[in-house]
Amino acid sequence: MTDLHAFIAGLPKAELHVHHVGSASPRIVSELAARHPDSKVPTDPEALVDYFTFTDFAHFIDVYLSVVDLIRTPEDVRLLTYEVARDMARQQIRYAELTITPFSSTRRGIDERAFMDAIEDARKAAEADFGTVLRWCFDIPGEAGLESAEETARLATSDKLRPEGLVSFGLGGPEIGVPRPQFKPYFDRAIAAGLHSVPHAGETTGPETVWDALTDLRAERIGHGTSSARDPKLLAHLAEHRVPLEVCPTSNIATRAVRTLDEHPLRAFVDAGVVVTINSDDPPMFGTDLNNEYAVAARLLDLDERGLAALAKNAVEVSFLDAPGKAALAAEIDAYTAGWLAP
Ligand SMILES: Nc1ncnc2c1ncn2[C@@H]1O[C@H](CCC(=O)c2cccc(C(=O)O)c2)[C@@H](O)[C@H]1O
Ligand SMILES: [Zn+2]
């Protein structure tokens, strides 16, 4: 391990763009598959590497949904959530906003009350046992249609069901053929209920989708926003209004949204003055983790320890953590970096 990799491994971090089911490691997949042996998801870690090699974005979503099918009971939901937090803690991730798609679970027959209790129970246990603070983003799986938007908005805004850890409202899945403006009424409801707007946009379609997310969905941060690099006016707007991009470099290669890491627009975003955060999206499915994404960012942006610490602090600053939590985590990053660089 180089010094920079060791620095990253110990750096306290926040992650703002990571999916719940997409974080199921081979260890967790094996445990779930043992509970549900009829699943087509392989349990052998070597076979999983092949299974998690995608020909395009649509193929990725097919495979993703086969892992969704492994989560059938509230106890599966609890196990997944708690074990994902354990994997995060091992990477010194202190705070994560985990994107959860409750529609996928409720439509598969998991009771909505039991679902909320399972994620909340796991959140509290993970904070007590591992020190990792979790918050939720509930996302609409856009391709599943307006029925899924209605269900997600209902679950996210219901006084009786809305979980304490919920901070934001998102929109994921394929973008092609799924225009963002149709989701405006659902985002309006979520925002009126006090949730932050963080849709995916510009991952697999052009910059116009990012404009739609800003205008119609009142996005406060953009998931990916990769194609923004093709529109200088959009870059200037993102920079001026300090709308951060949640960049997930390895994900973009794995889903073939970008051809190679050297062609990734991360550097163009930074050069344009856009606030960026570094994220892992669906780490085991993309053969990565947050530490590796920081190493990729260090290479693409030519960063040293101070630059990496600044990137980690970006994520804290634009997170939806409360002010004392942000101050404490930023101070922890500074203390760690000063200690590392001290002679
Ligand atoms: N890189 C990504 N970019 C975008 N999204 C990503 C990414 N990674 C993970 N996701 C997740 O994939 C889900 C997609 C689920 C979906 O399309 C769907 C369609 C029809 C039916 C059902 C169902 O459950 O019955 C689900 C999204 O909601 C999102 O949370
Ligand atoms: Zn995502």
Side-chain angles (χ1 to χ4, degrees), residues 17 19-20 22 57 60-61 64-65 68 99-101 103-105 107-108 139-145 171-175 200 203 224 251-252 255 281-282 285-286:
H17 189 120
H19 295 262
H20 186 222
F57 191 83
F60 160 66
I61 291 291
Y64 188 90
L65 289 177
V68 169
T99 295
I100 298 188
T101 314
F103 172 77
S104 289
S105 289
R107 86 172 294 193
R108 283 171 177 74
D139 81 329
I140 301 169
E143 205 179 40
L171 169 59
E175 290 173 41
H200 286 64
E203 180 185 18
H224 297 277
S251 158
N252 296 148
T255 62
D281 210 12
D282 303 287
M285 295 188 181
F286 300 145

Side-chain angles (χ1 to χ4, degrees), residues 214 219-222 237-245 274-275:
L214 292 168
E220 291 167 65
R221 301 192 313 243
I222 300 282
H237 179 95
L238 295 169
E240 185 190 342
H241 296 275
R242 294 189 61 76
V243 180
L245 297 183
V274 176
V275 177

Side-chain angles (χ1 to χ4, degrees), residues 61 71 213 247 281 332:
I61 291 291
I71 297 145
V247 178
D281 210 12
E332 202 192 340

